[in-house]
Amino acid sequence: MSRYSMAQVVSLTGINSHTLRKWESRYDFLVPERTDTNIRFYTDAQLKKLLNISILRSQGVRLSTIGKMTDEEINKMIEDALIESNQDADVKALVLSMINLDEQEFDNIIKSQVLKNGILTTFTEVIYPFLHKVGVLWGINKIMPAQEHFVSNLIRQKICSAIDLLPIAPKNAPKIIMFLAEGENHEIGLLLAHFIAKQLGWRVFYLGQNVPYDNVKTMAELVNPNYLLTFFVTTTPSVVEDKVLRLSSETKTPLLFSGSPINLETENNDNMVTYLKSPKDLITVLEEVISSAQD
């Protein structure tokens, strides 16, 4: 049985700590466990129930109504609610489908969002926030590697399929080289960036995972791109800073990079390097280049 602290539950469900404490005092459906030192913690079953409650609350269901329902009734209402759900509810439902290894539910949610909002919005407003929550679970060792690989491969398949459906950009389009540096193997963020750039009309030179510096440098000399783009999953700030400096200085090419904000110890003042906080930042940068070329 996994244990989740209140802070972790708040991060995963979006229910603040004050509300959780209030619910504990008013309703008997949520009674957290206690450590020997009297610190609250929540079980897997409680986390799943809180995610379900959060989804239903976002659909306007009163807590007093939820408190009287059985787990089976809650699950049935969740199925109905997800048909008309908002993006935040779908993110939480994706977390549940991952924990339960429910591929069908995962696929239903993604397809529903694509039909309602399109592929790009689904990737940026649902899958990206979902991956952040996966990172929370991964960072606190609350999901098995098998669960993370299961869901990562499902997402990878969908992004690759979407990329293949996009037209190839003309040769005079702006160019970007995408890669993961040596030691970096988590490819989902890079694939999402590939889709975004290709949809915006960029020529994407996708090198994939674990690419040596010399290969990146040679490719930059051959292609003469507008940008390089990479991601860092490592959480060692000094290592990331060294890699960023080396990439920008040796290739003489503007570098876009993303990853956890804790990778940066100090603010970067190098105008050749841009840190992307979200997919929206990438879209802004790429659209500015296209707009400048059209002026």
Side-chain angles (χ1 to χ4, degrees):
M1 179 183 70
S2 296
R3 292 185 176 190
Y4 304 87
S5 69
M6 178 173 283
Q8 290 160 355
V9 168
V10 169
S11 179
L12 291 166
T13 66
I15 304 168
N16 64 52
S17 56
H18 174 74
T19 299
L20 285 172
R21 292 189 182 95
K22 184 167 66 175
W23 288 0
E24 291 168 16
S25 64
R26 293 185 180 181
Y27 304 98
D28 59 6
F29 63 77
L30 179 63
V31 181
E33 306 288 332
R34 297 271 181 172
T35 66
D36 293 338
T37 54
N38 203 35
I39 297 174
R40 287 179 179 83
F41 71 87
Y42 301 83
T43 64
D44 285 320
Q46 289 169 328
L47 173 62
K48 291 178 184 180
K49 187 154 191 173
L50 284 168
L51 283 165
N52 279 333
I53 289 171
S54 184
I55 293 169
L56 293 179
R57 290 280 289 159
S58 71
Q59 299 299 303
V61 182
R62 295 175 63 86
L63 190 62
S64 57
T65 301
I66 300 171
K68 298 174 183 176
M69 298 168 63
T70 65
D71 287 343
E72 290 73 20
E73 289 171 333
I74 289 175
N75 290 337
K76 178 61 171 66
M77 186 174 283
I78 287 289
E79 291 178 13
D80 296 337
L82 288 178
I83 296 174
E84 300 295 333
S85 62
N86 57 34
Q87 290 162 351
D88 182 61
D90 278 339
V91 171
K92 293 166 185 172
L94 287 176
V95 174
L96 278 170
S97 67
M98 178 191 65
I99 293 173
N100 294 326
L101 296 176
D102 190 339
E103 180 176 357
Q104 186 62 63
E105 182 61 24
F106 189 95
D107 190 61
N108 290 343
I109 294 165
I110 297 300
K111 285 181 177 176
S112 173
Q113 273 292 329
V114 169
L115 286 172
K116 286 188 289 186
N117 300 303
I119 293 175
L120 181 58
T121 298
T122 299
F123 285 166
T124 58
E125 302 296 333
V126 177
I127 291 180
Y128 183 82
F130 164 70
L131 290 173
H132 171 73
K133 292 189 182 295
V134 171
V136 172
L137 288 167
W138 182 258
I140 59 177
N141 297 316
K142 298 304 182 186
I143 56 173
M144 299 180 298
Q147 289 170 310
E148 191 264 347
H149 291 310
F150 165 78
V151 77
S152 293
N153 281 316
L154 290 179
I155 293 173
R156 189 180 192 284
Q157 291 166 18
K158 294 187 181 302
I159 299 177
C160 288
S161 296
I163 291 170
D164 285 342
L165 293 175
L166 294 172
I168 297 173
K171 290 185 178 180
N172 63 348
K175 296 171 286 188
I176 186 167
I177 295 174
M178 298 186 180
F179 65 96
L180 296 181
E182 290 180 284
E184 297 287 346
N185 296 291
H186 289 75
E187 197 179 12
I188 298 298
L190 197 70
L191 284 169
L192 175 55
H194 185 177
F195 172 82
I196 289 171
K198 192 173 180 183
Q199 188 180 64
L200 291 174
W202 281 64
R203 289 184 68 190
V204 179
F205 296 84
Y206 192 89
L207 306 186
Q209 306 158 297
N210 203 31
V211 181
Y213 285 101
D214 289 345
N215 290 15
V216 177
K217 184 178 179 181
T218 299
M219 193 69 175
E221 292 170 351
L222 291 171
V223 172
N224 190 27
N226 299 74
Y227 282 109
L228 304 176
L229 184 145
T230 191
F231 282 71
F232 295 104
V233 177
T234 176
T235 56
T236 306
S238 60
V239 172
V240 171
E241 289 175 358
D242 288 345
K243 289 181 178 180
V244 166
L245 290 173
R246 182 177 176 185
L247 283 165
S248 62
S249 63
E250 292 190 7
T251 62
K252 310 299 182 185
T253 304
L255 173 68
L256 307 174
F257 80 102
S258 191
S260 172
I262 63 175
N263 287 335
L264 291 177
E265 290 180 323
T266 58
E267 182 178 351
N268 175 57
N269 294 315
D270 187 345
N271 59 13
M272 290 284 286
V273 177
T274 302
Y275 175 71
L276 305 173
K277 295 180 180 178
S278 71
K280 291 181 181 179
D281 287 351
L282 174 62
I283 292 170
T284 298
V285 171
L286 299 184
E287 286 182 336
E288 285 176 352
V289 173
I290 294 174
S291 178
S292 298
Q294 293 171 344
D295 290 342

